[in-house]
Amino acid sequence: MRTTLTILLTLFITQCVANEDLFSQANEKYMIEDYQEASRLYEQILENGLESSELYYNLGNCYYHIQDYANSIWYYEKSLLLKNNKQTRENLELSNLEIIDKIDTFPKIFYLKWWSDFVQLNSTWNWQMTAIICIWSTLVFVLITIFSSINLTKLIYASIFISSLFFSAANSSYNKNLESSAIIFTSIINVKSAPTQGGKKLFSLHSGTKVKIKDQIGKWLNIEISNGDKGWIEKESCKIII
């Protein structure tokens, strides 16, 4: 047993060192603007089973510089799933400006927009931790009120409200991350009215466009774009984010 653990630990350390070396090499290539080689090295780290928000972000930057906007958008989206970063969101917006499809979105009611912007201020994990801290703080205030002469009733009510707010934000962020979505990777794809080649063409989408996945039948995906239009595309025409 001890020998097995030693071997596993050695392999783990060796893999970590190898990935760290690859990351350094990739960064060096990026600094000299060899983005093709940098992206190859970063992707090799992914193939080794390691992922991080920073790694996806760097890959998004590489593909942006070589004008492969579908890949840059896909990697920025992957990065944002792990960490909600302002710079990543800004770079994603820049990439979206370069693609063909400029799809209008339905305007949100002001309070829904406010809530969406608020939820994006933190990652799901951060919202969860903040909510847990607030809940424990509320319990402490309750205990102090019960077992001492200090009355913290107003503070308890405020803490309950804040805890509920942060818990709701964590839940909204979690549910948003569960939404299945994808990026179109085919230069142009016709969206069909039915999951067959004989289905009526409804509209076309181009490389780099993000779609929500609503359903799947065999090799066909039922998708929805940001303006609410829906239809069917073949799965091989896109790359799923989550």
Side-chain angles (χ1 to χ4, degrees):
M1 174 65 77
R2 183 176 297 177
T3 302
T4 302
L5 289 175
T6 302
I7 292 172
L8 290 175
L9 181 60
T10 302
L11 289 173
F12 175 76
I13 293 173
T14 302
Q15 187 65 51
C16 288
V17 171
N19 285 330
E20 188 174 329
D21 185 52
L22 280 173
F23 195 73
S24 297
Q25 291 179 45
N27 289 341
E28 290 173 4
K29 295 296 182 182
Y30 185 90
M31 292 301 293
I32 63 172
E33 300 183 6
D34 187 353
Y35 301 117
Q36 290 278 9
E37 181 62 14
S39 63
R40 187 189 70 80
L41 292 169
Y42 286 134
E43 286 175 340
Q44 193 172 333
I45 299 173
L46 288 176
E47 291 170 3
N48 290 340
L50 181 67
E51 68 170 1
S52 70
S53 175
E54 292 75 16
L55 183 57
Y56 285 129
Y57 173 77
N58 288 354
L59 274 162
N61 287 343
C62 286
Y63 281 109
Y64 179 83
H65 283 296
I66 60 178
Q67 299 181 2
D68 184 344
Y69 300 115
N71 264 311
S72 70
I73 290 169
W74 190 84
Y75 280 115
Y76 287 141
E77 292 281 1
K78 292 290 287 184
S79 178
L80 288 170
L81 286 177
L82 300 178
K83 184 179 180 181
N84 193 353
N85 180 274
K86 180 182 178 182
Q87 187 62 59
T88 307
R89 293 199 308 271
E90 290 175 352
N91 287 7
L92 175 59
E93 289 175 7
L94 289 175
S95 292
N96 280 321
L97 290 175
E98 301 293 341
I99 64 176
I100 294 174
D101 295 327
K102 304 293 189 294
I103 302 170
D104 294 327
T105 58
F106 289 123
K108 291 182 179 179
I109 302 173
F110 75 94
Y111 59 84
L112 292 178
K113 185 179 186 305
W114 175 86
W115 179 250
S116 178
D117 292 341
F118 177 71
V119 170
Q120 287 185 17
L121 291 175
N122 253 323
S123 65
T124 302
W125 188 87
N126 285 337
W127 282 127
Q128 289 171 337
M129 291 301 102
T130 306
I132 289 171
I133 291 170
C134 288
I135 290 169
W136 278 106
S137 298
T138 304
L139 292 176
V140 170
F141 297 150
V142 170
L143 292 174
I144 291 173
T145 300
I146 293 173
F147 296 105
S148 75
S149 59
I150 303 173
N151 189 338
L152 299 177
T153 302
K154 291 183 179 179
L155 192 57
I156 290 170
Y157 284 130
S159 186
I160 290 173
F161 172 77
I162 293 171
S163 299
S164 301
L165 180 67
F166 289 160
F167 181 82
S168 298
N171 187 58
S172 295
S173 180
Y174 177 76
N175 289 335
K176 187 176 187 302
N177 287 341
L178 287 181
E179 290 181 352
S180 188
S181 54
I183 302 298
I184 301 296
F185 267 72
T186 303
S187 58
I188 182 170
I189 182 75
N190 292 327
V191 181
K192 305 282 189 174
S193 61
T196 64
Q197 289 292 350
K200 178 184 176 182
K201 174 187 171 183
L202 300 176
F203 54 92
S204 296
L205 294 175
H206 300 82
S207 178
T209 302
K210 183 180 180 180
V211 299
K212 289 182 181 179
I213 300 173
K214 312 300 288 186
D215 195 9
Q216 179 173 353
I217 297 178
K219 66 176 184 177
W220 291 87
L221 299 176
N222 183 234
I223 58 98
E224 179 182 4
I225 56 178
S226 57
N227 66 0
D229 289 346
K230 298 178 182 179
W232 294 87
I233 62 171
E234 291 186 274
K235 185 177 180 180
E236 64 183 16
S237 65
C238 64
K239 191 173 179 181
I240 295 174
I241 301 170
I242 183 174

